[in-house]
Amino acid sequence: MLFFGKKILIGAAVLATLGTFVFGRDVVSYMKTAGNSVREAVKSEVPVDFEVERARKMVEDLVPDIRRCMHVIAEQQVDVETLQQEMHDSELAMKQQKEAMFTLRSDLESNDTEFVYASRTYSKDDIRNDLAQRFDRFKVASETLKRNQQILKAREKALDANREKLENMLSSKMDLEVQIEQLEARLKSVQAAETVSNLQIDNSQLTRAKGLIRDLNKQLDVKEKLLDAEGKFTGLIPVDTKVEEKRDVVKQMDEYFKLKSGDKVVAQ
């Protein structure tokens, strides 16, 4: 294998050297043009029905991409719904905390020194410390909610974009399938027309056939003439037929020599 690879490299180098010697600096241009010509020649020899089938296969190959896009959309939908639920729960908790904070604040501003919550007694310092912690947590939760709202908008935007992408892919796939069906219909029509146009008749064979038919017509004409002529002599009354009379040589001689009946004929 290594030896074979070396032979290919050496052959390519020899061809490049010869090409440079013949074409000079334009060898690259000539090689590119020749390569393009070869590709176009090979492509022109590929049957159209094969190319149509290849186009159909390319459209079918879109299915995995469509399914991947659908999977991504499903994951994004789950993420969006989960974040929406988390934000909803967070908003409810923050609402409860806000109500609790304002209750503690109201108690802190009162003149009372002790407060009872859930059967336990708390001082103003306890209320103040608890309110401070609640307030700090509320601010963190509020900032987290704001960030989650931004994240949710971004995810919803990405989800909408992927949905639009999926719709375009499905629509494009359907359009391509229709176009391929139309191509196949046109191909069948063209193939039918080609089949008719390729039915070429041999001119010499056509000429011989015409000549044979002409000769047969002539032969039939002759036969008809013969039958017609024979019909005139067979089975008909011979009205026009005359019997040839016997020649009267003596009479003819008498008339010629002006002889009368009883004259003695003497040769002079």
Side-chain angles (χ1 to χ4, degrees):
M1 182 64 69
L2 182 60
F3 176 74
F4 183 71
K6 288 182 178 180
K7 290 181 65 177
I8 293 176
L9 293 176
I10 293 173
V14 171
L15 288 175
T17 303
L18 291 174
T20 304
F21 177 76
V22 175
F23 299 108
R25 295 180 179 178
D26 295 331
V27 62
V28 176
S29 176
Y30 278 106
M31 292 179 67
K32 289 183 178 180
T33 303
N36 292 334
S37 299
V38 171
R39 282 193 296 270
E40 292 297 329
V42 172
K43 186 176 180 180
S44 63
E45 294 298 326
V46 178
V48 178
D49 52 353
F50 177 82
E51 292 288 16
V52 172
E53 185 62 28
R54 190 166 69 93
R56 181 184 293 277
K57 183 65 170 60
M58 292 173 68
V59 174
E60 292 176 355
D61 290 341
L62 295 175
V63 174
D65 292 335
I66 293 175
R67 289 182 176 175
R68 281 193 292 270
C69 186
M70 294 174 66
H71 183 73
V72 171
I73 290 175
E75 288 183 341
Q76 288 179 333
Q77 287 178 331
V78 172
D79 292 339
V80 167
E81 291 173 359
T82 301
L83 185 56
Q84 287 175 339
Q85 186 62 43
E86 290 177 356
M87 291 174 59
H88 178 70
D89 296 340
S90 179
E91 287 175 348
L92 290 178
M94 289 176 65
K95 182 179 180 181
Q96 294 174 355
Q97 287 297 324
K98 187 176 182 180
E99 292 175 354
M101 284 191 301
F102 275 94
T103 298
L104 292 173
R105 182 178 180 274
S106 177
D107 291 341
L108 188 61
E109 291 178 343
S110 68
N111 294 325
D112 297 337
T113 57
E114 292 183 350
F115 307 92
V116 178
Y117 299 102
S119 303
R120 292 185 63 179
T121 302
Y122 298 92
S123 64
K124 277 194 172 184
D125 289 337
D126 294 333
I127 298 298
R128 186 178 292 105
N129 292 333
D130 186 78
L131 182 58
Q133 291 179 6
R134 287 175 183 269
F135 182 56
D136 290 338
R137 291 177 182 176
F138 183 85
K139 289 190 293 183
V140 172
S142 179
E143 292 297 326
T144 301
L145 181 61
K146 289 180 181 180
R147 287 195 298 270
N148 285 339
Q149 288 175 343
Q150 294 175 352
I151 293 173
L152 178 62
K153 289 182 179 179
R155 289 182 179 179
E156 288 176 340
K157 185 176 181 180
L159 179 59
D160 291 339
N162 283 328
R163 282 174 174 169
E164 183 178 359
K165 178 182 178 181
L166 177 61
E167 290 178 359
N168 290 333
M169 291 176 70
L170 292 173
S171 178
S172 298
K173 181 176 180 293
M174 293 178 62
D175 291 341
L176 290 173
E177 288 174 345
V178 172
Q179 292 180 27
I180 289 175
E181 293 296 330
Q182 293 174 345
L183 278 175
E184 287 187 337
R186 290 185 61 190
L187 177 61
K188 290 179 181 178
S189 177
V190 171
Q191 288 176 340
E194 288 179 345
T195 301
V196 174
S197 63
N198 288 334
L199 293 176
Q200 298 179 354
I201 301 177
D202 188 358
N203 291 331
S204 59
Q205 184 72 13
L206 180 62
T207 303
R208 289 195 297 272
K210 289 181 178 180
L212 177 59
I213 293 173
R214 186 171 55 253
D215 293 340
L216 291 174
N217 283 323
K218 182 178 179 180
Q219 293 178 22
L220 291 175
D221 290 340
V222 172
K223 288 182 179 293
E224 289 176 352
K225 295 293 184 183
L226 289 174
L227 289 173
D228 185 59
E230 290 175 356
K232 293 180 180 181
F233 295 99
T234 58
L236 300 176
I237 298 175
V239 178
D240 298 332
T241 305
K242 294 181 179 180
V243 180
E244 185 178 354
E245 296 179 356
K246 294 183 178 180
R247 184 178 180 182
D248 190 353
V249 180
V250 176
K251 184 179 180 180
Q252 290 178 358
M253 289 180 64
D254 289 344
E255 291 176 354
Y256 181 82
F257 291 108
K258 298 178 181 181
L259 298 176
K260 295 180 180 179
S261 179
D263 291 344
K264 186 178 181 180
V265 179
V266 180
Q268 295 180 357

